[in-house]
Amino acid sequence: MQYTVKQLGDLAGVSARTLRYYDEIDLLKPSAVTEAGYRLYGPDAVDRLQQILLYREMGMGLDQIKRIMNDPQFDLKEALLSHRKSLLQRKAQLEQLLETVERSLAGLEGRIHVTDKEKFEGFKKQLVADNEAKYGKEAREKYGDEAVDASNAKLMGMSPEDWENFKKVEEELIETLRAAMEEGDPDSDLGLKVGELHRRWLSFTWQSYSAEAHRGLAEMYVADERFKAHYDQYSPGAAEFLRNCIFAYTEKKRG
Amino acid sequence: MQYTVKQLGDLAGVSARTLRYYDEIDLLKPSAVTEAGYRLYGPDAVDRLQQILLYREMGMGLDQIKRIMNDPQFDLKEALLSHRKSLLQRKAQLEQLLETVERSLAGLEGRIHVTDKEKFEGFKKQLVADNEAKYGKEAREKYGDEAVDASNAKLMGMSPEDWENFKKVEEELIETLRAAMEEGDPDSDLGLKVGELHRRWLSFTWQSYSAEAHRGLAEMYVADERFKAHYDQYSPGAAEFLRNCIFAYTEKKRG
DNA sequence: GATAAACCTTAACGTTACGTTAAGGTCAAG
DNA sequence: CTTGACCTTAACGTAACGTTAAGGTTTATC
């Protein structure tokens, strides 16, 4: 069935103004528009609004929500699984906050001593929306906007530990790349390890992997001046060598 | 010890800008200011910031937070107990949202059918901040800003059921007041019942009760034109009669 | 058919709670 | 002394709507 703005708003707990605003910013278009100009929302719009509200619940900005949901790779089931993870994190944070309140009460009664630091436990927002703020900027400076937008859904679900591992793998990749370049053979064990490490690095941001896509990215490293410059800063010719390692790795994997 | 804006911000997870803004709007003043003009925050400010963040966590606006915390009746322990209640409500809502996600996943897999209404369960915000939006306006029109501000902390914790009961007690109060006025004796059983109902009605918004405060309020009903007009709309002389019933009730209780 | 209430549209200004930038002063470590 | 981190105030900008206004549409009732 189809809903007008008020009907959908009442159903979902948002204002008609919100729905019109979402239409205006192309976040949630109505399923149809009557001759009189009335917006009508169908099942597809209902499902999309649910997703929007879930992302919004996590504090994500509308611009970001739009990018994620407009990604051709957006998958409803994956998204729901991601939401579940985020909600569980949020729940854990709430429980921490409850603990903080309990301890503050106990401190008030002189039963225990509560440090200033403890008084703010649970307020720290290690949550999905903050990942963009925290890591997105760094990632954007390193890899460019397109790469980050393409991996936004995955990046959003990262914990601080994930981020650290992400960076560690990259550091190891750079080191191994340097060593392999001294050896000079992309087909060597070191060269293959470079390819494998690169694949592991990609797993942090790619929703799915294919050797073909991996090779496509590798070609982009030498074709796109920004990526080339990024890797060549480690060592002259690094982008090209990395491309070759990736090809060796994917060929061997395939062969 | 004392913290600068950055130190307190890092400790609490808020920006220095936020702290400066809170100083500007008189929500959180620094404990001291150095000769160079630097803000310094001591233990009192730390505790106050914790409270601010707890209210903010519940979605409460800063203006509202300020009114509650500046109320002479503000009590830290009561506030913490109220926070706990709010946090538990929030937790229950999150769990509902998790259930909604699980059901949506099951629906996606064709295991169950999920209604459009069910898809939005958990998003409805029956929470403290919304009480002001929902009930505050109605309450303000009826009782005036001062009365509502004075009872804000209690009002914020109301559930929809509480609100309905609040109104029911008031309706019964008005009816009984009318009946008692026809009888004409504030000291009668009906008159005393008016006093008791009024006390019950107050218990929804007062953090503590005393006969003295009750009588003070009763005096205000006849002295303040708005209250007088409010009650006299039910029946001419109702404000004065109510004052007399309250005095009879509190005198009998005391004697 | 007329009426009234509820709802629809677009337009546009306002609000809240900061984020960001700029200019210039202060503090602490090397 | 230098430098980097941090402080101040000022002021403009931003995100996500809320609110008001003017005028059209829909639906139920008489």
Side-chain angles (χ1 to χ4, degrees):
Chain A
M1 68 173 292
Q2 306 228 332
Y3 303 98
T4 58
V5 286
K6 186 170 196 296
Q7 286 165 347
L8 184 57
D10 288 344
L11 187 68
V14 297
S15 68
R17 173 73 181 115
T18 298
L19 292 173
R20 279 188 278 264
Y21 180 66
Y22 288 177
D23 182 5
E24 178 189 321
I25 62 173
D26 293 325
L27 177 59
L28 177 64
K29 308 300 293 188
S31 308
V33 180
T34 68
E35 291 197 359
Y38 283 29
R39 294 170 179 81
L40 293 178
Y41 296 90
D44 55 321
V46 168
D47 285 344
R48 189 173 169 98
L49 180 58
Q50 185 199 40
Q51 293 302 306
I52 291 168
L53 294 186
L54 281 163
Y55 284 119
R56 203 179 72 167
E57 186 73 30
M58 291 302 122
M60 202 178 278
L62 301 184
D63 194 46
Q64 197 179 357
I65 294 172
K66 185 172 149 193
R67 288 202 300 271
I68 289 177
M69 294 191 68
N70 288 350
D71 187 335
Q73 289 192 8
F74 179 80
D75 179 72
L76 186 55
K77 182 171 177 182
E78 292 280 349
L80 284 166
L81 289 170
S82 174
H83 291 311
R84 182 168 67 181
K85 187 178 169 189
S86 302
L87 283 166
L88 287 169
Q89 282 178 3
R90 177 82 177 113
K91 184 180 169 186
Q93 189 209 344
L94 263 192
E95 279 162 350
Q96 198 175 18
L97 213 39
L98 272 165
E99 183 65 25
T100 297
V101 169
E102 296 288 359
R103 290 183 62 83
S104 297
L105 275 167
L108 213 55
E109 289 163 1
R111 279 186 272 135
I112 59 170
H113 170 65
V114 186
T115 68
D116 287 347
K117 185 169 175 4
E118 285 173 323
K119 288 175 184 177
F120 298 108
E121 289 294 335
F123 286 118
K124 305 278 177 63
K125 297 190 176 175
Q126 316 275 9
L127 293 173
V128 287
D130 286 352
N131 282 356
E132 169 75 21
K134 199 180 298 185
Y135 313 134
K137 192 179 172 189
E138 183 177 342
R140 286 180 190 279
E141 287 168 359
K142 267 198 194 173
Y143 315 120
D145 282 354
E146 287 94 339
V148 173
D149 285 347
S151 59
N152 234 339
K154 258 270 170 105
L155 199 61
M156 288 306 101
M158 269 198 189
S159 64
E161 289 74 37
D162 287 343
W163 179 249
E164 290 304 322
N165 288 338
F166 181 51
K167 290 202 288 184
K168 277 199 174 87
V169 170
E170 189 183 27
E171 281 161 17
E172 194 180 347
L173 168 63
I174 303 300
E175 274 185 40
T176 311
L177 179 60
R178 279 209 183 98
M181 283 182 73
E182 286 183 15
E183 213 180 52
D185 181 12
D187 278 305
S188 65
D189 283 348
L190 271 184
L192 295 180
K193 189 177 175 187
V194 165
E196 191 253 326
L197 280 169
H198 195 260
R199 174 184 176 160
R200 270 174 57 196
W201 181 78
L202 284 180
S203 75
F204 283 96
T205 57
W206 276 11
Q207 302 199 33
S208 61
Y209 175 88
S210 72
E212 191 169 21
H214 200 178
R215 286 196 297 275
L217 183 64
E219 290 288 13
M220 203 169 86
Y221 282 166
V222 293
D224 188 308
E225 203 51 49
R226 277 169 309 172
F227 284 114
K228 191 165 164 22
H230 171 66
Y231 284 104
D232 282 358
Q233 79 180 314
Y234 297 120
S235 188
E240 197 152 342
F241 193 84
L242 176 60
R243 189 270 314 271
N244 295 337
C245 292
I246 289 166
F247 267 74
Y249 170 75
T250 53
E251 297 284 355
K252 182 164 173 110
K253 275 299 226 183
R254 187 172 57 175
Chain B
M1 67 172 294
Q2 307 231 331
Y3 303 99
T4 58
V5 286
K6 186 169 197 297
Q7 286 165 348
L8 184 58
D10 288 343
L11 187 67
V14 297
S15 68
R17 174 73 181 113
T18 298
L19 293 173
R20 280 189 277 263
Y21 180 66
Y22 288 178
D23 182 5
E24 178 189 322
I25 62 173
D26 294 325
L27 177 59
L28 177 63
K29 309 298 293 186
S31 308
V33 180
T34 68
E35 292 196 357
Y38 283 30
R39 295 172 177 81
L40 294 178
Y41 296 90
D44 55 320
V46 168
D47 286 342
R48 188 172 170 97
L49 181 58
Q50 185 199 41
Q51 294 301 307
I52 291 168
L53 295 185
L54 281 163
Y55 284 118
R56 203 179 71 166
E57 186 72 29
M58 291 300 121
M60 202 177 277
L62 299 185
D63 194 46
Q64 197 179 354
I65 295 172
K66 186 173 148 192
R67 289 203 298 270
I68 289 178
M69 295 192 67
N70 288 349
D71 187 334
Q73 289 192 7
F74 179 80
D75 179 71
L76 187 54
K77 182 172 178 182
E78 291 280 346
L80 284 166
L81 290 169
S82 174
H83 291 312
R84 183 169 67 182
K85 187 177 170 188
S86 301
L87 284 165
L88 286 169
Q89 282 178 5
R90 177 82 177 114
K91 184 179 167 186
Q93 189 209 345
L94 263 192
E95 278 161 350
Q96 199 176 17
L97 213 40
L98 272 165
E99 184 65 24
T100 297
V101 169
E102 295 289 358
R103 290 183 63 82
S104 297
L105 275 167
L108 212 56
E109 289 163 2
R111 278 187 272 136
I112 59 171
H113 170 65
V114 186
T115 67
D116 286 347
K117 185 168 179 352
E118 283 173 325
K119 288 176 183 176
F120 298 107
E121 289 294 335
F123 287 118
K124 306 277 178 64
K125 297 190 176 177
Q126 314 273 14
L127 294 173
V128 288
D130 286 353
N131 282 355
E132 169 75 22
K134 199 180 299 185
Y135 314 133
K137 191 178 170 189
E138 184 177 341
R140 286 180 191 279
E141 287 167 1
K142 268 197 192 175
Y143 315 121
D145 282 354
E146 288 94 339
V148 174
D149 284 347
S151 59
N152 235 339
K154 257 263 166 112
L155 199 62
M156 288 307 101
M158 270 200 190
S159 64
E161 288 76 36
D162 287 344
W163 179 249
E164 290 305 321
N165 287 337
F166 181 50
K167 290 202 289 182
K168 279 201 174 86
V169 170
E170 190 183 27
E171 281 160 18
E172 193 180 348
L173 167 64
I174 302 300
E175 275 185 43
T176 310
L177 179 60
R178 279 210 184 97
M181 283 182 74
E182 286 183 14
E183 212 180 49
D185 182 14
D187 278 307
S188 67
D189 283 348
L190 270 185
L192 296 180
K193 188 176 177 186
V194 165
E196 191 253 326
L197 281 169
H198 195 259
R199 174 184 176 158
R200 269 175 58 196
W201 181 78
L202 286 181
S203 74
F204 283 96
T205 58
W206 276 9
Q207 301 199 33
S208 61
Y209 175 88
S210 72
E212 191 169 21
H214 200 180
R215 287 196 295 277
L217 182 64
E219 291 286 13
M220 205 169 84
Y221 283 165
V222 293
D224 188 307
E225 204 48 50
R226 278 168 308 169
F227 283 113
K228 191 164 163 26
H230 171 66
Y231 284 105
D232 282 358
Q233 80 181 309
Y234 297 121
S235 189
E240 199 152 343
F241 193 83
L242 176 60
R243 190 269 316 268
N244 295 338
C245 293
I246 289 166
F247 268 73
Y249 170 75
T250 52
E251 297 283 357
K252 182 166 173 113
K253 275 300 228 183
R254 188 172 57 177

